[in-house]
Amino acid sequence: MKGSLIILGFFILGLILGLTRFLPSSLLEGDFSIYALYLLMFLVGMGIGTDRGSWKVIREVNIKIILVPLSVIVGSLLGVSAVSALLSNIGIGEAMAVGAGFGYYSLSSVIITEFHSDTLGVIALLSNIIREILTLLATPLFVKYFGKLAGIASGGATAMDTTLPIIVRYSGKEYAIIAVFSGIVLTILVPVIIPIILKFV
């Protein structure tokens, strides 16, 4: 939760500086988000590539485990599609792009900003931060009423790191492998799925 609040704090600071035009015009007018995206993609790839434990989990777990991230993908996209019907200014494709962040707010917001617009990027940032915070706060209720996998589904990509402790605490240690696997798969797919969706928007 602390990490989410720090990210949100930096966003608000950037918003204030942009509105007040306090920064140099070269910084305000330049498109630096693409370089941030390149750096973020490099760091994500490096992190996944060097985590030998994560790759070992993927090799050793039963093939049925793939149903967990697939269910998260389908459920997330169907859910945001249904919500988009209630929103007049966000189309189904745009809503699906936001939902395809799967809780990975830092990467998804940058990708959406680069491929679509700043406004939708902000919506993605806030929506995915809320998804993570909701998982941290409501996993006990999710597990109680919807089953052991509910926290993993809610956490999305964050199930492999920031929300893993709360998932393990309420679902059990035996679900840690499933959570890590699902989080890795979703993390890898975020930069693949979002651009594909936005091509049709």
Side-chain angles (χ1 to χ4, degrees):
M1 170 119 36
K2 183 180 178 182
S4 300
L5 294 176
I6 291 172
I7 292 287
L8 186 59
F10 272 106
F11 165 73
I12 293 171
L13 177 62
L15 184 65
I16 292 170
L17 291 174
L19 289 172
T20 58
R21 311 292 290 185
F22 183 75
L23 298 172
S25 59
S26 58
L27 187 61
L28 293 172
E29 294 168 7
D31 185 14
F32 294 100
S33 61
I34 186 65
Y35 300 110
L37 175 59
Y38 293 153
L39 177 62
L40 198 54
M41 290 301 298
F42 171 74
L43 294 174
V44 169
M46 187 172 65
I48 293 173
T50 57
D51 190 351
R52 304 297 181 191
S54 298
W55 291 106
K56 186 178 179 182
V57 166
I58 293 173
R59 288 194 302 269
E60 292 181 353
V61 177
N62 190 298
I63 192 66
K64 289 182 181 178
I65 197 173
I66 195 68
L67 294 175
V68 176
L70 286 178
S71 298
V72 175
I73 292 169
V74 172
S76 296
L77 296 182
L78 287 176
V80 294
S81 297
V83 170
S84 72
L86 306 174
L87 304 173
S88 59
N89 53 350
I90 296 181
I92 186 170
E94 294 167 327
M96 288 177 72
V98 171
F102 307 125
Y104 198 165
Y105 51 80
S106 55
L107 181 59
S108 62
S109 60
V110 173
I111 294 173
I112 290 173
T113 297
E114 186 60 35
F115 282 86
H116 191 276
S117 66
D118 292 340
T119 302
L120 196 64
V122 170
I123 292 171
L125 174 70
L126 296 177
S127 298
N128 285 290
I129 285 176
I130 290 170
R131 180 173 183 160
E132 179 181 316
I133 293 173
L134 188 63
T135 301
L136 291 169
L137 296 177
T139 288
L141 293 175
F142 292 158
V143 170
K144 181 178 180 180
Y145 293 105
F146 303 108
K148 300 283 189 179
L149 294 173
I152 298 173
S154 174
T158 68
M160 66 181 266
D161 45 46
T162 55
T163 60
L164 181 60
I166 196 78
I167 290 168
V168 170
R169 180 176 178 185
Y170 289 96
S171 294
K173 291 181 179 179
E174 64 274 19
Y175 284 85
I177 292 175
I178 299 173
V180 169
F181 175 82
S182 180
I184 290 171
V185 171
L186 293 170
T187 296
I188 292 170
L189 291 179
V190 165
V192 176
I193 295 176
I194 292 176
I196 291 173
I197 292 173
L198 290 177
K199 278 185 179 180
F200 299 97
V201 173

